[in-house]
């Protein structure tokens, strides 16, 4: 009887030992969301949120077009720089990060880098766009990249 209890205890201890990094890893990745933002992650987040706010403010009529254009180009440059800094920091950490996050970063970065900026209104359209989705201006002669 005591033998079985002992075996069970050892098995439980071994299982805990094996699971430890998994549990710790899960915990760390959850905490990272709010508490352990690195400097570059925070900068990236701020830049992207600011960029989004500018869009909303312009659509809501809180920004005039001139302010919108200058803010947008300023923040786009900042967001790009922040994305690249964050990526560089990740690479030097050697940290394997969430592939979904990686994918989203790549998507945002490509959009910012190779998006077609409308000559008429300054809106950054998706790569390959032929007409501005904000004002309808033809973008056909502007090749992305
Ligand atoms: Zn436009």
């Amino acid at each position: 009887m005591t033998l079985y209890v002992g075996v069970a205890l050892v098995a439980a201890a071994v299982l805990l030992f094996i699971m430890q990094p998994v549990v710790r890893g899960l915990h760390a990745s959850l905490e990272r969301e709010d508490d352990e933002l690195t400097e570059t992650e925070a900068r990236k987040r701020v830049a992207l949120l600011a960029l989004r706010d500018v869009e909303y403010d312009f659509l809501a009529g809180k920004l005039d077009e001139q302010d919108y254009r200058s803010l947008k180009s300023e923040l786009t440059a900042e967001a790009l720089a922040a994305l690249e800094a964050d990526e560089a920091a990740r690479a030097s950490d050697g940290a394997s990060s969430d592939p979904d996050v990686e994918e989203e970063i790549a998507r945002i970065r490509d959009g910012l880098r190779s998006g077609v900026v409308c000559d008429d209104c300054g809106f950054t359209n998706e790569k390959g766009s032929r007409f501005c989705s904000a004002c309808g201006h033809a973008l056909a002669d502007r090749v992305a990249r």
Side-chain angles (χ1 to χ4, degrees):
M1 186 66 189
T2 44
L3 180 68
Y4 288 114
V5 173
V7 168
L9 277 176
V10 169
V14 168
L15 191 67
L16 270 175
F17 183 74
I18 292 169
M19 292 296 287
Q20 206 175 20
V22 178
V23 173
R24 198 182 286 152
L26 279 176
H27 191 61
S29 72
L30 287 177
E31 273 197 339
R32 227 175 143 81
E33 284 297 314
D34 295 315
D35 303 334
E36 291 183 32
L37 273 181
T38 64
E39 199 180 318
T40 53
E41 276 173 338
R43 185 180 159 205
K44 179 187 75 186
R45 226 171 249 219
V46 167
L48 290 175
L49 282 176
L51 204 52
R52 200 190 62 183
D53 284 351
V54 165
E55 294 291 344
Y56 285 149
D57 284 354
F58 179 64
L59 288 175
K62 290 183 201 166
L63 278 175
D64 66 33
E65 206 172 310
Q66 207 179 351
D67 286 347
Y68 166 74
R69 282 195 216 184
S70 63
L71 275 170
K72 172 110 178 170
S73 64
E74 209 173 282
L75 289 169
T76 299
E78 165 61 15
L80 253 183
L83 283 173
E84 272 164 10
D86 187 43
E87 216 168 23
R90 274 168 207 275
S92 70
D93 273 358
S96 61
S97 61
D98 193 335
D100 288 345
V101 174
E102 288 297 309
E103 201 176 299
E104 181 165 5
I105 289 171
R107 188 179 57 75
I108 294 169
R109 193 193 49 210
D110 287 351
L112 292 175
R113 192 180 276 157
S114 61
V116 188
V117 178
C118 177
D119 288 332
D120 207 41
C121 74
F123 186 83
T124 303
N125 293 277
E126 256 179 68
K127 183 181 170 184
S129 302
R130 302 184 67 180
F131 296 94
C132 177
S133 46
C135 74
H137 189 75
L139 306 164
D141 56 338
R142 293 281 303 262
V143 180
R145 268 179 209 276

